Amino acid sequence: MATPLIAAASARCQVRLACRSSFALLVAACAPGGSAPLAPLPPGASPAGEWVDLHKTTPTDTAVWVLSPSGSDQLLTVHLDAAGARHETERRYGRWQVSRVMNADGVPVAALCFMRRPGRDAQSCQPYVLDSVRVGGGMAWRLTVKGYTGVHHSADRVLLERAHRARSAGAMPPTASTSGGGFHPRSVQPERPSVATHAGTVAAGYAEVETGLERDHLSDGTYATTVPTLLKIGLAKRTQLVIALPTVSATRVPFGAGDVSVGLKWRVTEDRPTVQDVAILPSVKFSSGGARGTGTTDISLLLINSRVVGLVSLDLNIGATWRSGDGAQAPRTSSLWAAAAGIPIRGAFGWALECYGLPGTSGAAGSAPIVALLTGPTYVLRPELALDAGIITPISGPQPHSFYLGMVTSIGKFVRP
């Protein structure tokens, strides 16, 4: 029979799965005269501005990267329909900044760095060159992003300066997003250490692993140790398969595999002016862990909202779980809520801060309501590897005192989507 602490740890592990100018000018800018570069910009010149993306521009569709001086990374799309009417849409991918990286020769060079969720996600950095070229008898500044990496290939991406425009009254307001922009598909998107998860999904055809160690201590002296391993596989642009493979030990319970869970995260909306990104995560937990699990088969549904407010990323979750059994091992129904923030500190360092709650449950295995605080530092060692550590402390209810440490790493591409 599972101990109450094992059941609580298994429930939290499941929570982490469930939680866890004119158009003519634009067209002209897309047809450079082929002259050699005139001269580089002065040292320290900023790439902030509006840049026509030649790789994504056609006679009827113009794509413009907007690198705002405030640090917002946006995409403006100008489209001419069959009747010649002009339409503009605008979306915000995340944030950008200039940094320095080592090139293949070991020389530090300027790089554009992009980040989806400040304080949580890894940066994607690509070297860039600013120079000028002749376009239609005039001169335009050119931004070349070296080795831009997409899902299927890597190549230099060339962009030309666009004349300043007045914002269209019909343009879509910029919002925050968890996909797109100049992000390398192997840049990790950590869901740990939070109980809450975010609306982002791994790039299609890529996989990530999250794992770590959590140690829980109750006031009666009992304990549990959990290794909450999560495998995330990108199935499509907005869809991600999530498999939880925890291993658990506790007082009088030897170390071994816990209950396995499988879920499917689907981002329903993104870049909406008010709600920004919304996703749902249905999941199933199987009774596979014996004494290291709840002894029940569970169906869970989680609603996820992710947004960026200033320099802080926010994830809001609310969910419910329905379990098999008579309620002796674990409550027949339970619910949860969580609010998590990612706060950038300095460089690769960030801070995770979260408050979550498990409302009270009934039955033989029922529990009083729990409210707890999770907090600790995060560090992006490399774009494909992030580390975390911290504590969980109760605010009210029978939440154990816990400490944790862990990592998130990209396995890389496993199949062409």
Side-chain angles (χ1 to χ4, degrees):
M1 175 180 295
T3 66
L5 189 55
I6 284 286
S10 177
R12 283 200 309 280
C13 190
Q14 185 182 0
V15 165
R16 286 198 174 94
L17 167 65
C19 292
R20 287 242 176 201
S21 155
S22 69
F23 186 77
L25 289 176
L26 294 179
V27 173
C30 297
S35 300
L38 297 180
L41 285 175
S46 171
E50 299 184 355
W51 303 92
V52 177
D53 189 339
L54 304 188
H55 292 73
K56 296 184 176 181
T57 294
T58 69
T60 57
D61 291 278
T62 298
V64 182
W65 273 14
V66 182
L67 301 180
S68 166
S70 66
S72 294
D73 167 32
Q74 301 165 208
L75 175 67
L76 167 71
T77 303
V78 182
H79 172 69
L80 291 182
D81 62 22
R86 175 192 178 108
H87 306 274
E88 290 189 8
T89 59
E90 191 169 358
R91 59 185 296 182
R92 177 181 166 188
Y93 285 120
R95 299 195 63 81
W96 73 277
Q97 65 182 21
V98 172
S99 185
R100 299 190 75 80
V101 299
M102 305 295 286
N103 66 12
D105 299 323
V107 178
V109 295
L112 276 173
C113 296
F114 303 91
M115 182 182 297
R116 295 180 182 90
R117 297 190 306 151
R120 298 302 297 272
D121 287 358
Q123 290 189 128
S124 291
C125 296
Q126 281 119 357
Y128 73 91
V129 174
L130 276 172
D131 58 12
S132 58
V133 293
R134 292 196 179 278
V135 178
M139 184 187 77
W141 294 118
R142 177 174 64 180
L143 171 63
T144 303
V145 182
K146 310 294 287 185
Y148 178 94
T149 304
V151 174
H152 303 302
H153 65 277
S154 296
D156 292 352
R157 177 152 285 179
V158 181
L159 306 100
L160 294 182
E161 181 189 36
R162 176 175 182 259
H164 178 72
R165 67 182 173 89
R167 186 175 298 275
S168 169
M172 181 183 298
T175 61
S177 173
T178 53
S179 65
F183 304 112
H184 194 291
R186 287 197 65 185
S187 295
V188 294
Q189 300 184 59
E191 297 183 19
R192 62 166 298 116
S194 298
V195 171
T197 187
H198 57 79
T201 52
V202 176
Y206 286 74
E208 285 182 15
V209 171
E210 303 191 356
T211 191
L213 178 70
E214 181 180 324
R215 179 82 170 186
D216 303 326
H217 291 270
L218 280 176
S219 57
D220 62 2
T222 57
Y223 73 90
T225 302
T226 308
V227 179
T229 301
L230 200 68
L231 174 62
K232 305 184 297 182
I233 301 173
L235 301 182
K237 181 181 178 181
R238 296 189 182 187
T239 308
Q240 172 182 292
L241 178 66
V242 188
I243 305 173
L245 304 165
T247 48
V248 184
S249 70
T251 303
R252 296 182 296 276
V253 178
F255 190 78
D259 289 346
V260 174
S261 301
V262 178
L264 193 68
K265 184 195 294 186
W266 174 43
R267 191 164 59 257
V268 181
T269 65
E270 62 181 11
D271 313 311
R272 294 299 176 90
T274 303
V275 298
Q276 298 192 15
D277 292 350
V278 175
I280 59 173
L281 175 54
S283 61
V284 180
K285 183 188 73 65
F286 303 96
S287 179
S288 59
R292 302 175 190 88
T294 62
T296 62
T297 299
D298 305 0
I299 304 294
S300 298
L301 180 64
L302 189 72
L303 303 181
I304 308 162
N305 176 228
S306 294
R307 59 186 62 215
V308 175
V309 180
L311 293 178
V312 176
S313 60
L314 297 176
D315 300 309
L316 308 175
N317 290 189
I318 185 169
T321 298
W322 299 266
R323 299 184 178 92
S324 63
D326 58 5
Q329 294 286 84
R332 293 291 305 277
T333 61
S334 63
S335 58
L336 68 96
W337 57 266
I343 306 167
I345 301 298
R346 183 183 179 89
F349 281 99
W351 198 271
L353 179 63
E354 177 179 52
C355 185
Y356 68 88
L358 304 171
T361 53
S362 59
S367 170
I370 289 174
V371 178
L373 180 70
L374 178 152
T375 189
T378 60
Y379 179 71
V380 179
L381 186 63
R382 299 193 302 271
E384 65 276 12
L385 177 61
L387 309 176
D388 61 74
I391 61 170
I392 303 172
T393 187
I395 297 176
S396 64
Q399 164 70 40
H401 291 269
S402 310
F403 71 86
Y404 64 83
L405 53 87
M407 59 174 283
V408 183
T409 186
S410 172
I411 298 175
K413 189 174 183 179
F414 68 95
V415 67
R416 184 180 180 88

